[in-house]
Amino acid sequence: MKDLSKVNNPYGDDKVISQCSIFGMMNTTGEVFSGKEIITAIRNMHERGNGLGGGFAIYGCYPDYPDDYCLQVMFDTRANREETEIYLKRFFHIQHSEEIPTCPTEVIKNPPDVYRYFVQPKVEELHEIISDDDIVIRRVMKINTTLDGAYVFSSGKNMGVFKGVGFPEEIADYFCLEQYDGYIWTAHGRFPTNTQGWWGGAHPFSLLDWTVVHNGEISSYGANRRFLEMYGYICTMHTDTEVVAYAIDLLARKHGLPVDTVMDIFSPPVWEQIDRMDPDDRKYFEVLRSTYGPLLLNGPFAVIIAHHGEMVAHTDRIRLRPMVAGIKGDMVYASSEESAIRLVSKDLEKVWIPVGGHPVIARLKELAKDDVVEGGRELLKAEGMEV
Amino acid sequence: MLTAQLPEFNVDRDEDRCIQCRVCERQCSFDVYGYDVQNNVMIHKEENCVACQRCAVLCPTNALVIKENAYTYKQNANWTREAISDLKKQSETGGVLLTGMGCDKPHKIYWDHILINASQVTNPSIDPLREPMELRTHLGRKPDSLEVKDGKLSFPDYPKVELSTPIMFGAMSYGAISYNSFKSLAQAAHEYGTLFNTGEGGWPKELRKYGSNTIVQCASGRFGIDLEYFNDAAMVEIKIGQGAKPGIGGHLPGEKVSEHISLTRMIPEGSDAISPAPHHDIYSIEDLQMLIHALKEATDYQKPISVKISAVHNSPAIASGMVRAGADIIVVDGLRGGTGAAPKILRDNVGIPIELALAAIDTRLRDEGIRNWASLVVSGGIRNAGDIFKAIALGADAVYVGTPALIALGCTVCQKCYTGKCAWGITTQDPYLTKRVNTEIGTQALVNLLRAWSLELKELLGCGGINSIESVRGNRLQLRGIGLESWEMETLGIRGAGQ
Ligand code: SF4
Ligand code: SF4
């Protein structure tokens, strides 16, 4: 098994620590738009990164292959790619594949080769009943942990992650992102303190169509990681962002919890607040905290999490990392700095600093009655079953 | 008969200070002091002194210093003074040597080889005086997952107990300790929002008003047990073993079984209260499963059931079996756990340190994917909030403390609890001595201890940039080892300092 933690975390520290700029924007009608604005916005926060990592996630960018999983994979060498392709062909029907177009620039040094594959899993290879999603996750993990010189950036349908070592605006230029269209875009500029920078280690982190861009250092990393390990997740990268991605996968996909509830698990109210709630809400939080307490994300963080249909901006409960949200018409923005939003959207209808631990959730209008919610929403009613 | 024993301690009295008030004589329950009326001087029988320091503390003129006797045999690393004197005692009596409190041998104290992390620059530390800092803890089985059904969050409703701080008072029975000490523990647990454990000696009726702060034990002697006993409590604990004397039972001599104790234990006045070594209905794990379920039935599945074992070589496998047998909480008591009376040879040689057992059990339960089926409570040798923080970071949900609570009540760890003559009024039933513990003052001292340690825990959390205890639980990255062998660090699941 290859040791990704050594690649991503060469000094073998507890975890990779980085401080960052993050930005996200979504059109809640689902209308697509180009990367021009987000590149402008993230460039404006240049000082928050140090050139050791930048990346983007785009949703709705592959309308020609809406039902195929798009695996975006980086390779160190041609031999690595050929080996990986043999593996892919064994487990997937490849509908289409291509090298991801790039516009080489002077600043990007030693880029890996990045390819994309639109695939459908071959169910006939299996002797057990599992979902397509689980097959894809299993194979992606396998590639990431065992195949030399290959690493999967993203594996969702009709979405893609583009990332690398450089400032985010340089990565955008390199992957010609102005030419893509999507209805959700998220971006990340990175200031890692204990890694030289490795393309696979840049953000967004992704599992299926879930992506995470993250600014912060999760002090509960050790507790979160050991809990996830119990549910079969192997934290290969030794970075705190990885645990956020896996926690979302466990809670939202495997346990089927709505994203609002997942955020309540990450940053629940403190017990004194819970004690003052009405009985139904109190029950809800009591159950969440006592079941998923080990997934409380402690320490300073701000994240923008996205998957098809939803973009969520969220901070730790005492808001130790910045987050600003803004709305203009159908557009919803989230950013580390207000100036970046104002730069790309002049007259915002609303711009505000969300309360710590209160997620701002933007949703496609067709999916929800409110396209943007923050705090104050209705909580699920919790009902105990006899045991 | 002439004894070959030398007094262990010397009573050093400053005759210039002594005013012959005879306080020392009245306070000493070991008959060290006498008064020579003719010469108006105090006299000593030093061979009786146990260094409990009661006299020295109460002497109004500070005339007394109780010192280790400086006598020495020829230096010998093998035949130490303790080894020689133990052997002489046995040759004189032909009996098993008894002792009280936990193991006092210098086995490695792992707490002292573990260091804690703090935040610097990349994440901010948090000031517990300005920001919320959460210690609230729930014990009991936790669901594997929650589910949304018909727009509602559905969950298996397992019984649980809530603690305001992850510190509880461990099992000390009424009989082993005095009524006032027992009552102080109950009242302090109630006042601070945590739990105390009745031990196996029953539960006086008038203290049942503290039921929501009480853990009752079901041990091999089955003293004081009826349906009400279980149902009035917050939690029921099956006691299999105790760290100080793994594998053996207990014996409360008949002379201590007073009327009130007889009522509480449901045994005749003056009869010996004997707890057999094993439960005679538990000879295997499936028998334990039956008792756990019998207790769940008896309490209508409303109370979490815990099982307490002592830390032994294969604790992880045993713990896994206990969890699968239905225990909602497992309690592990380590090598240094206290006792009212135990054979010295067992106390000092049997069992393993709690730090290693705890880490190994937590790791095993996680490997098996069943860690959330039961909470893990540890005890045995915890001395301060630092030890508690380390225990929780190694994987414990909460701790039991026994000796620290007794020290708060006055105990000086003289190890003479088994004599029933505790001069501090704690491990005795002599009414002249038991009134030395005042329940109001005792309760306050215990509440102060809980409060002080909770504040210190908050400081330790805050310095690590964490504001809730659940983010410390099992978070071994917050710890580093120092002066440990690699096998020890591997067992503890921690890295070395600087790594
Ligand atoms: S208590 Fe102190 S002053 Fe009083 S008799 Fe004893 S040694 Fe003397
Ligand atoms: S409880 Fe009493 S007898 Fe036991 S060690 Fe403490 S002071 Fe000594």
Side-chain angles (χ1 to χ4, degrees):
Chain A
M1 188 156 151
K2 68 186 184 190
D3 192 353
L4 269 190
S5 68
K6 283 286 174 315
V7 182
N8 191 42
N9 185 352
Y11 298 107
D13 295 328
D14 288 348
K15 60 191 166 192
V16 172
I17 302 167
S18 51
Q19 328 296 322
C20 318
S21 58
I22 56 179
F23 195 91
M25 54 197 288
M26 172 177 186
N27 184 314
T28 55
T29 63
E31 203 176 294
V32 294
F33 52 90
S34 90
K36 206 167 149 258
E37 287 177 347
I38 196 166
I39 297 165
T40 307
I42 199 85
R43 179 187 291 124
N44 193 54
M45 296 189 280
H46 185 91
E47 289 301 323
R48 300 184 73 88
N50 67 356
L52 289 179
F56 297 80
I58 316 171
Y59 291 81
C61 53
Y62 301 128
D64 295 342
Y65 302 93
D67 299 320
D68 295 321
Y69 293 92
C70 174
L71 307 185
Q72 309 221 101
V73 194
M74 68 167 241
F75 302 107
D76 289 349
T77 64
R78 187 183 167 143
N80 296 147
R81 173 165 60 84
E82 284 164 1
E83 193 199 343
T84 308
E85 284 179 349
I86 292 169
Y87 184 85
L88 287 174
K89 280 187 191 131
R90 191 168 143 213
F91 292 103
F92 295 101
H93 299 288
I94 299 177
Q95 319 290 39
H96 176 71
S97 68
E98 63 192 4
E99 182 169 6
I100 293 181
T102 53
C103 320
T105 63
E106 274 185 12
V107 286
I108 300 293
K109 310 276 188 233
N110 284 326
D113 299 333
V114 189
Y115 280 67
R116 62 185 156 226
Y117 305 85
F118 295 94
V119 304
Q120 287 293 334
K122 286 186 183 169
V123 272
E124 56 274 19
E125 284 289 331
L126 288 166
H127 302 285
E128 56 183 319
I129 300 168
I130 61 170
S131 69
D132 283 0
D133 281 354
D134 279 310
I135 300 176
V136 173
I137 287 190
R138 192 182 289 181
R139 295 303 153 204
V140 166
M141 293 281 188
K142 199 83 184 168
I143 294 171
N144 287 351
T145 54
T146 57
L147 295 189
D148 279 334
Y151 183 77
V152 181
F153 282 173
S154 63
S155 52
K157 294 175 181 171
N158 197 8
M159 59 78 68
V161 165
F162 302 84
K163 60 183 182 177
V165 174
F167 283 100
E169 60 272 22
E170 296 166 357
I171 296 297
D173 287 346
Y174 179 73
F175 284 113
C176 331
L177 294 187
E178 290 206 16
Q179 294 168 20
Y180 289 77
D181 290 318
Y183 70 98
I184 303 175
W185 285 73
T186 64
H188 188 261
R190 188 165 185 228
F191 194 138
T193 51
N194 62 345
T195 168
Q196 302 301 315
W198 170 61
W199 282 58
H203 297 205
F205 267 82
S206 170
L207 208 57
L208 295 170
D209 73 341
W210 289 94
T211 58
V212 182
V213 289
H214 165 226
N215 168 23
E217 175 178 343
I218 295 175
S219 313
S220 54
Y221 173 74
N224 305 143
R225 179 178 144 189
R226 293 187 77 220
F227 185 79
L228 290 165
E229 281 170 354
M230 209 170 79
Y231 287 85
Y233 292 89
I234 311 161
C235 295
T236 48
M237 313 273 294
H238 290 191
T239 167
D240 42 8
T241 315
E242 187 183 26
V243 306
V244 183
Y246 292 161
I248 293 168
D249 186 64
L250 175 74
L251 298 169
R253 194 177 63 84
K254 290 225 183 99
H255 295 177
L257 302 176
V259 85
D260 318 40
T261 303
V262 176
M263 297 307 124
D264 287 336
I265 290 166
F266 288 169
S267 315
V270 296
W271 285 112
E272 276 124 55
Q273 287 171 301
I274 295 172
D275 290 343
R276 289 194 295 269
M277 293 177 179
D278 69 54
D280 279 351
D281 292 354
R282 195 161 67 216
K283 185 95 214 155
Y284 167 80
F285 281 113
E286 267 175 22
V287 169
L288 283 195
R289 290 199 67 173
S290 68
T291 307
Y292 294 117
L295 287 180
L296 189 157
L297 301 182
N298 223 307
F301 74 86
V303 286
I304 300 174
I305 294 162
H307 71 139
H308 272 300
E310 277 175 324
M311 180 181 85
V312 186
H314 194 45
T315 63
D316 66 89
R317 50 202 194 143
I318 53 174
R319 223 181 63 83
L320 295 170
R321 285 284 187 270
M323 178 70 80
V324 184
I327 300 177
K328 166 82 190 289
D330 297 325
M331 291 301 300
V332 181
Y333 301 91
S335 170
S336 300
E337 293 177 9
E338 185 175 336
S339 56
I341 304 180
R342 294 210 178 265
L343 188 65
V344 296
S345 185
K346 297 278 175 273
D347 23 47
L348 291 159
E349 285 148 29
K350 188 177 171 198
V351 56
W352 78 103
I353 295 173
V355 175
H358 287 196
V360 175
I361 303 174
R363 290 200 171 96
L364 277 182
K365 286 201 164 72
E366 64 195 54
L367 299 178
K369 72 175 192 302
D370 301 312
D371 55 351
V372 188
V373 277
E374 190 228 335
R377 70 217 149 72
E378 224 169 281
L379 304 177
L380 285 176
K381 194 167 154 49
E383 264 186 6
M385 297 179 297
E386 242 180 66
V387 287
Chain B
M1 184 182 120
L2 175 73
T3 169
Q5 300 284 322
L6 285 160
E8 218 181 328
F9 305 100
N10 291 138
V11 177
D12 188 349
R13 174 197 315 275
D14 185 334
E15 295 293 352
D16 292 340
R17 291 189 181 194
C18 180
I19 53 173
Q20 293 81 36
C21 68
R22 300 175 69 179
V23 161
C24 46
E25 185 189 4
R26 283 191 299 279
Q27 291 297 326
C28 184
S29 50
F30 294 91
D31 291 327
V32 172
Y33 298 103
Y35 176 57
D36 176 345
V37 187
Q38 272 172 359
N39 299 313
N40 186 30
V41 286
M42 302 302 297
I43 48 176
H44 316 143
K45 268 195 255 157
E46 283 184 322
E47 59 275 22
N48 287 348
C49 180
V50 300
C52 76
Q53 304 290 355
R54 178 85 188 175
C55 56
V57 169
L58 275 112
C59 169
T61 60
N62 285 338
L64 289 169
V65 181
I66 308 298
K67 289 181 184 159
E68 178 120 315
N69 191 339
Y71 79 83
T72 178
Y73 297 111
K74 166 100 178 87
Q75 286 296 320
N76 188 321
N78 197 32
W79 287 104
T80 58
R81 183 169 133 176
E82 184 187 1
I84 296 171
S85 114
D86 279 358
L87 194 149
K88 287 187 182 297
K89 265 182 224 159
Q90 292 193 291
S91 66
E92 285 167 17
T93 63
V96 169
L97 291 177
L98 287 182
T99 186
M101 304 313 274
C103 172
D104 63 359
K105 292 286 161 292
H107 302 299
K108 198 173 214 167
I109 298 174
Y110 286 90
W111 306 129
D112 295 338
H113 293 268
I114 299 176
L115 301 169
I116 299 169
N117 191 33
S119 297
Q120 298 288 286
V121 184
T122 56
N123 60 348
S125 45
I126 305 170
D127 181 350
L129 298 176
R130 288 158 194 271
E131 303 278 354
M133 198 55 76
E134 305 189 289
L135 298 181
R136 193 178 296 185
T137 296
H138 292 99
L139 301 182
R141 181 174 180 163
K142 312 282 160 62
D144 285 339
S145 63
L146 304 178
E147 213 183 318
V148 178
K149 257 200 234 151
D150 313 323
K152 286 181 187 151
L153 194 66
S154 155
F155 63 96
D157 205 355
Y158 299 113
K160 60 174 191 290
V161 290
E162 183 177 298
L163 313 175
S164 67
T165 188
I167 312 167
M168 302 186 288
F169 297 128
M172 289 174 283
S173 70
Y174 172 37
I177 61 171
S178 64
Y179 184 79
N180 286 1
S181 309
F182 190 85
K183 187 175 173 188
S184 302
L185 291 167
Q187 291 184 155
H190 178 71
E191 195 173 323
Y192 207 79
T194 183
L195 301 181
F196 90 109
N197 190 315
T198 62
E200 59 173 314
W203 186 17
K205 287 268 190 278
E206 66 281 8
L207 297 181
R208 303 222 172 165
K209 57 178 185 268
Y210 304 123
S212 53
N213 303 94
T214 307
I215 301 165
V216 291
Q217 257 192 358
C218 173
S220 61
R222 301 284 202 273
F223 298 117
I225 282 173
D226 59 14
L227 257 191
E228 238 175 73
Y229 171 82
F230 294 133
N231 283 293
D232 287 348
M235 167 176 150
V236 179
E237 181 166 290
I238 299 170
K239 179 201 169 180
I240 303 291
Q242 181 177 345
K245 42 178 175 177
I248 68 166
H251 179 187
L252 186 71
E255 55 264 33
K256 285 197 188 168
V257 181
S258 64
E259 189 193 346
H260 196 242
I261 289 182
S262 114
L263 281 175
T264 307
R265 293 208 175 204
M266 301 181 189
I267 53 169
E269 212 176 316
S271 66
D272 286 5
I274 296 190
S275 302
H279 287 244
H280 284 304
D281 54 358
I282 304 181
Y283 285 2
S284 66
I285 189 80
E286 64 271 24
D287 292 343
L288 175 69
Q289 174 158 321
M290 285 210 274
L291 181 58
I292 291 173
H293 286 278
L295 291 174
K296 287 190 176 186
E297 285 287 333
T299 53
D300 199 20
Y301 295 84
Q302 300 302 307
K303 316 275 175 194
I305 309 294
S306 76
V307 181
K308 176 180 175 182
I309 55 166
S310 43
V312 291
H313 303 180
N314 49 353
S315 299
I318 298 165
S320 161
M322 282 156 49
V323 174
R324 291 178 193 280
D328 299 304
I329 293 148
I330 52 181
V331 180
V332 189
D333 192 20
L335 174 68
R336 289 184 299 272
T339 177
K344 190 163 183 276
I345 201 77
L346 265 99
R347 186 197 73 171
D348 292 348
N349 294 290
V350 181
I352 62 172
I354 191 60
E355 301 91 320
L356 299 175
L358 152 63
I361 291 171
D362 178 68
T363 302
R364 177 73 63 91
L365 296 180
R366 284 170 192 266
D367 286 351
E368 295 187 11
I370 56 174
R371 177 65 185 83
N372 49 330
W373 291 12
S375 296
L376 179 54
V377 174
V378 299
S379 58
I382 282 164
R383 304 155 302 174
N384 54 49
D387 294 351
I388 298 172
F389 184 94
K390 292 167 191 174
I392 291 174
L394 285 176
D397 287 280
V399 301
Y400 268 139
V401 294
T403 305
L406 299 190
I407 294 173
L409 290 174
C411 163
T412 51
V413 201
C414 73
Q415 311 189 16
K416 289 290 182 269
C417 325
Y418 66 97
T419 62
K421 292 193 208 164
C422 175
W424 292 91
I426 301 166
T427 50
T428 175
Q429 301 306 324
D430 177 345
Y432 180 69
L433 300 174
T434 56
K435 61 175 189 257
R436 294 180 181 183
V437 175
N438 170 301
T439 53
E440 235 169 81
I441 299 171
T443 303
Q444 191 56 51
L446 292 166
V447 168
N448 285 347
L449 176 71
L450 291 170
R451 181 170 182 276
W453 281 5
S454 300
L455 288 173
E456 288 179 340
L457 279 177
K458 290 180 179 186
E459 293 285 353
L460 289 168
L461 254 69
C463 85
I466 286 176
N467 61 12
S468 180
I469 193 79
E470 59 239 62
S471 301
V472 173
R473 213 156 266 138
N475 193 346
R476 298 184 186 173
L477 290 177
Q478 295 299 109
L479 306 176
R480 289 290 191 270
I482 188 155
L484 295 173
E485 308 269 344
S486 56
W487 71 265
E488 295 170 307
M489 293 208 284
E490 201 180 302
T491 308
L492 292 167
I494 61 174
R495 296 170 165 213
Q499 284 190 313

